[in-house]
């Protein structure tokens, strides 16, 4: 594939993302100098609380401390200064993150050789995945979800495909990631260790450790900065675990009454607590999640990549799940809050699984019946994507 074709493909992703974001913003009656999707009854990031809610950031002497040594917060602060309005700066960055997520997801899907017709639609849907639109600007940590597809691409190249090439893109990612989202970076360190042990490949281990050790040191450095800023709380760490229920069940207060009743009845019957389903995958990607789990337990040769992604998700869940191994770390003074956000690995892998699943069907039909049926098949797939898009943005009774 030539560079020119790659550029054209990313232009297509950009254009489709623009259309989707405009529809989303129009449905929220957006005003650039006012909050788009913030809700005061939910937890709000410290930086957003200081800069936008209390407007105390001008009183702080150390700008880096106010920004929590986080690149994302620094960018938002600069945009706020340029625009002369705090919410304008936050909103501009918030809108920009939809494109960051769609581009990074498209990059991962191309690694998996998912057909472009399917990759574009799925990449754009990824930008509207759990937490990112339901939490909104109040928890801008969710905009860092673009890191997960990039790290999955790195895992895929280095460990699954064993391409032992020192890509400049991955080196930049390793250097910047801890300063973008330390929580995802810590989880990546854990997954890295597991994958290296599981492969039992000395040459691969020597290659990866050259990059993994500096990455681990950077994560430790940022963790020390976080602890001096008192960002972590042991009680919050216990409450913010991830659970499978939130991924596959409908959301509470779903716009469709029947789905809302199912979720509320389930939670009341089992006295379920914690997250209220804000990271629900939606109908299409819940199917992808279940298919990925079956692909892991009943692995077929052509589904080996799906099984591999399922294994990564299981590792993430064992660490980040409510009452998972992450809770043990609390008693050793290692507090990593918002473990529930590690559901992003499930999100990315479920989308990739759907891409592989639909891609196989698409290719088989095209080979068997020719281009005319291929076009009809493509239209049908995009009808499903459009329905899923609206299911994602209206599923919650705002």
């Amino acid at each position: 594939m030539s560079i020119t074709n790659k550029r054209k493909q990313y232009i297509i992703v950009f254009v489709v993302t623009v259309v989707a974001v405009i529809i989303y913003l129009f449905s929220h009656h957006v005003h650039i100098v006012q909050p788009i999707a913030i809700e005061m009854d939910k937890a709000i990031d410290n930086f957003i609380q200081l800069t936008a809610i209390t407007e105390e950031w001008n009183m702080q002497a150390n700008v880096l401390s106010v920004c929590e040594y986080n690149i994302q917060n620094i960018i938002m602060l600069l945009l706020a200064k340029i625009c002369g309005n705090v919410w304008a700066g936050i909103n501009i960055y918030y809108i920009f993150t939809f494109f960051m997520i769609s581009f990074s997801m498209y990059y991962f899907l191309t690694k998996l050789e998912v057909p472009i017709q399917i990759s574009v639609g799925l990449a754009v849907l990824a930008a509207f995945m759990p937490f990112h639109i339901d939490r909104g600007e109040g928890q801008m940590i969710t905009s860092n979800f673009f890191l997960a597809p990039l790290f999955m691409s790195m895992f895929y190249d280095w460990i699954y495909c064993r391409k032992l090439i020192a890509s400049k893109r991955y080196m930049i990612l390793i250097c910047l990631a801890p300063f973008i989202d330390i929580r995802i970076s810590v989880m990546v360190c854990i997954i890295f260790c597991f994958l290296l042990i599981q492969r039992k490949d000395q040459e691969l281990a020597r290659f990866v450790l050259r990059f993994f050790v500096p990455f681990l040191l950077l994560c430790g450095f940022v963790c020390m900065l976080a602890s001096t800023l008192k960002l972590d709380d042991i009680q919050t760490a216990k409450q913010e675990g991830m659970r499978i229920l939130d991924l596959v069940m409908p959301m509470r207060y779903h716009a469709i009454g029947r789905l809302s009743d199912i979720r509320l009845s389930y939670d009341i019957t089992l006295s379920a607590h914690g997250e209220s389903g804000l990271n629900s995958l939606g109908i299409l990607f819940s199917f992808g999640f279940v298919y990925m789990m079956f692909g892991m337990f009943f692995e077929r040769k052509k589904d080996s990549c799906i099984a591999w992604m399922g294994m990564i998700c299981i590792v993430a869940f064992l660490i980040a799940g409510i009452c998972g191994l992450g809770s043990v770390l609390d008693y050793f003074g290692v507090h990593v809050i918002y473990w529930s956000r590690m559901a992003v690995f499930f999100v990315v892998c479920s989308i990739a699984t759907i891409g592989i699943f639909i891609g196989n069907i698409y290719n088989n039909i095209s080979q068997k019946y020719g281009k005319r049926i291929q076009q009809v098949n493509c239209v049908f797939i995009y009808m499903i994507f459009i329905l899923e898009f609206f299911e994602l943005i209206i599923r919650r009774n705002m």
Side-chain angles (χ1 to χ4, degrees):
M1 184 184 297
S2 67
I3 296 176
T4 304
N5 285 335
K6 283 187 177 180
R7 288 178 178 174
K8 287 181 180 178
Q9 291 170 15
Y10 279 100
I11 289 172
I12 293 171
V13 175
F14 174 79
V15 172
V16 178
T17 306
V18 167
V19 174
V21 169
I22 289 173
I23 294 172
Y24 167 70
L25 295 177
F26 179 78
S27 68
H28 280 75
H29 308 287
V30 62
H31 194 292
I32 197 66
V33 296
Q34 296 176 358
I36 295 175
I38 193 171
E39 293 188 44
M40 298 300 294
D41 61 333
K42 292 186 175 65
I44 298 173
D45 291 348
N46 292 340
F47 174 78
I48 302 295
Q49 187 75 33
L50 276 175
T51 57
I53 309 300
T54 62
E55 298 185 357
E56 292 181 357
W57 59 274
N58 284 320
M59 301 166 59
Q60 301 290 333
N62 188 344
V63 175
L64 289 177
S65 177
V66 174
C67 293
E68 301 174 352
Y69 300 92
N70 184 285
I71 294 173
Q72 169 184 253
N73 293 340
I74 293 172
I75 293 173
M76 282 191 285
L77 188 60
L78 290 174
L79 287 172
K81 285 182 173 291
I82 292 171
C83 297
N85 181 282
V86 175
W87 278 117
I90 293 172
N91 285 335
I92 289 172
Y93 186 78
Y94 177 62
I95 293 169
F96 180 64
T97 58
F98 286 91
F99 298 89
M100 294 164 63
I101 296 172
S102 63
F103 282 176
S104 63
M105 191 68 215
Y106 181 77
Y107 180 74
F108 180 43
L109 291 172
T110 56
K111 291 282 182 184
L112 300 176
E113 298 182 351
V114 176
I116 179 175
Q117 297 89 338
I118 299 167
S119 296
V120 171
L122 290 176
V124 174
L125 285 175
F128 296 86
M129 276 285 98
F131 282 120
H132 187 53
I133 58 174
D134 290 316
R135 291 294 192 181
E137 308 112 305
Q139 293 192 4
M140 284 297 290
I141 182 178
T142 56
S143 66
N144 297 331
F145 279 5
F146 74 90
L147 289 174
L150 296 179
F151 275 122
M152 285 299 299
S153 300
M154 186 171 70
F155 292 154
Y156 181 77
D157 278 347
W158 284 359
I159 297 176
Y160 183 79
C161 295
R162 206 176 175 279
K163 296 178 181 177
L164 307 185
I165 301 173
S167 169
K168 291 181 180 179
R169 295 175 183 175
Y170 294 150
M171 293 171 68
I172 293 172
L173 173 65
I174 286 172
C175 291
L176 295 182
F179 297 96
I180 298 175
D181 193 320
I182 185 57
R183 298 164 184 88
I184 288 180
S185 298
V186 169
M187 180 55 71
V188 167
C189 286
I190 296 171
I191 295 173
F192 243 140
C193 289
F194 174 83
L195 292 176
L196 286 178
I197 294 171
Q198 190 264 342
R199 280 299 297 263
K200 300 177 182 177
D201 186 326
Q202 292 185 2
E203 184 182 356
L204 174 64
R206 284 195 295 269
F207 172 80
V208 172
L209 285 174
R210 286 188 295 166
F211 307 96
F212 175 70
V213 172
F215 180 54
L216 187 62
L217 292 175
L218 279 173
C219 287
F221 174 68
V222 176
C223 283
M224 285 192 297
L225 290 176
S227 64
T228 57
L229 291 168
K230 298 179 181 179
L231 297 179
D232 298 325
D233 176 76
I234 188 168
Q235 190 61 35
T236 306
K238 291 179 180 179
Q239 295 173 352
E240 288 286 350
M242 177 178 64
R243 60 180 183 172
I244 298 295
L245 168 68
D246 286 333
L247 297 172
V248 296
M249 289 288 286
M251 295 179 66
R252 291 182 187 175
Y253 316 115
H254 196 287
I256 300 174
R258 176 58 179 161
L259 294 178
S260 179
D261 291 343
I262 290 174
R263 176 56 189 259
L264 287 171
S265 175
Y266 193 96
D267 286 352
I268 291 170
T269 303
L270 296 181
S271 298
H273 58 86
E275 292 292 342
S276 58
L278 290 176
N279 53 343
S280 175
L281 288 170
I283 296 172
L284 180 63
F285 300 119
S286 291
F287 172 78
F289 168 76
V290 174
Y291 185 80
M292 177 175 62
M293 291 295 102
F294 274 103
M296 181 182 65
F297 289 111
F298 304 99
E299 181 180 349
R300 295 183 297 173
K301 188 174 182 179
K302 65 177 183 179
D303 289 337
S304 60
C305 185
I306 293 176
W308 177 75
M309 290 189 292
M311 180 182 65
I312 289 176
C313 290
I314 291 298
V315 174
F317 180 73
L318 288 175
I319 300 297
I322 289 176
C323 297
L325 297 177
S327 300
V328 178
L329 297 178
D330 295 340
Y331 296 98
F332 294 92
V334 181
H335 316 314
V336 185
I337 61 174
Y338 301 134
W339 269 133
S340 57
R341 304 305 187 273
M342 295 309 105
V344 63
F345 287 99
F346 285 82
V347 172
V348 170
C349 292
S350 296
I351 293 174
T353 299
I354 281 291
I356 295 172
F357 177 78
I358 298 177
N360 289 336
I361 296 175
Y362 179 82
N363 290 331
N364 290 336
I365 292 176
S366 300
Q367 291 173 5
K368 192 172 182 179
Y369 297 104
K371 289 186 177 181
R372 202 172 275 183
I373 296 297
Q374 183 181 22
Q375 293 172 352
V376 175
N377 192 20
C378 190
V379 171
F380 178 71
I381 290 170
Y382 266 84
M383 286 177 63
I384 295 175
F385 288 167
I386 291 170
L387 290 173
E388 177 63 15
F389 170 71
F390 284 105
E391 196 263 337
L392 287 172
I393 67 171
I394 71 170
R395 59 188 176 152
R396 184 156 170 253
N397 188 350
M398 301 299 291

